[in-house]
Amino acid sequence: MLRIETEMFEKWCRKMEPQSPPLHLLLDTPDSSYKSKLCDPTDGFVGLTAEQKCELAEWELEETKDEIQRLKEDSEQTLQDLEADMEEADIWWADIQKAISDFDKNIISTISQKKGSIVAFEKLLRYLEEKNHQKDLMTEKLRLENNSLKSYKKKLQQQLRQKEKMGEALLEVRFKQLQIRNVQYQEKIDEKNKELLQLKLTSAKTVQVLNFYKVSEALSTSIFPFFSFQERLQNAMETSVCLMKDISKRKELLEKIEREAILVEEERAKAERLNKKLRRQLSDYRVPSVLRYVHEKMAVTNLEKSLKAWERKVAIAEMSLQSYRRAWNRIKMTSNQH
């Protein structure tokens, strides 16, 4: 137990003072002040008090909880990433399987049945042309999506700039409103605390009066058996019951106000965190330079020109392919006639 307590205390010391040496090295030195404080030849071994041990244990418990929470968050993030990778791999594998099955069904079966025939060759060419056409359509679709996303990005940037202009003033107004409400609730809590203190004093006085009546009744019954204070005692009991009910109601009202104050404090803390976050984002926000924008615009223009050039090349290649096909068909017709 002493070794466990020493390790915990040493961990706490390293946390508080990262540059300090370990505790056992301090205790091993002959002129150590720590050793002289912990071990006294006259008083014996002086250890930590129960309150200090409790504080160290609570600190260790909080550290362990925080570490478990961090590990849990990291594990959840890793699990989500792996699940996303698995889904992507499943989709990719399904596409590959589909492509393989289509190729086997449409091409391999025909080639295996008609080896060396022109029909199989033409079927293979048509299959490749369809695949290229599908890729072209997909490219066009992605290009359109990219353009739409670019326009949407510009729209969001404009909205962000507008919000940056208006957001700071709105956050300051909201924060001031929360501060005013916090002050109002704090005043209400102070008033209710004063009322509760007054009720406690009244209850104490009532108990004293009740005890006095009980003592008086006991004395009257022992000295004057025919004279009783039953009516006054009953009235005092009824008054005490009413006061206890009133005290319980006031306590419930005070608890309700305290809960509302806690909620207001949480809202204020949340608003402060949001304000700090937005201020940090505003401080970190940097507008790109004009030269960089010009370079990006020139790059986009060059890419568009290269895209048009490649489209013309593809059109010329398609025309050449059609002419080659017509020539091939003529050659086949002449060969069949011969």
Side-chain angles (χ1 to χ4, degrees), residues 169-182:
L170 292 175
L171 284 174
E172 289 180 357
V173 172
R174 179 64 177 169
F175 183 67
K176 289 180 180 178
Q177 289 178 355
L178 289 174
Q179 283 182 341
I180 293 169
R181 290 178 62 185
N182 188 17

Side-chain angles (χ1 to χ4, degrees), residues 308-322:
K308 291 180 180 178
W310 278 106
E311 287 177 353
R312 287 196 297 271
K313 288 180 182 179
V314 169
I316 293 168
E318 288 180 352
M319 293 173 64
S320 300
L321 180 62
Q322 290 178 1

Side-chain angles (χ1 to χ4, degrees), residues 228-245:
S228 176
F229 291 95
Q230 189 68 28
E231 293 182 357
R232 285 191 291 175
L233 180 60
Q234 186 176 359
N235 293 329
M237 289 292 291
E238 292 176 356
T239 307
S240 177
V241 170
C242 293
L243 289 173
M244 292 300 290
K245 289 181 180 180

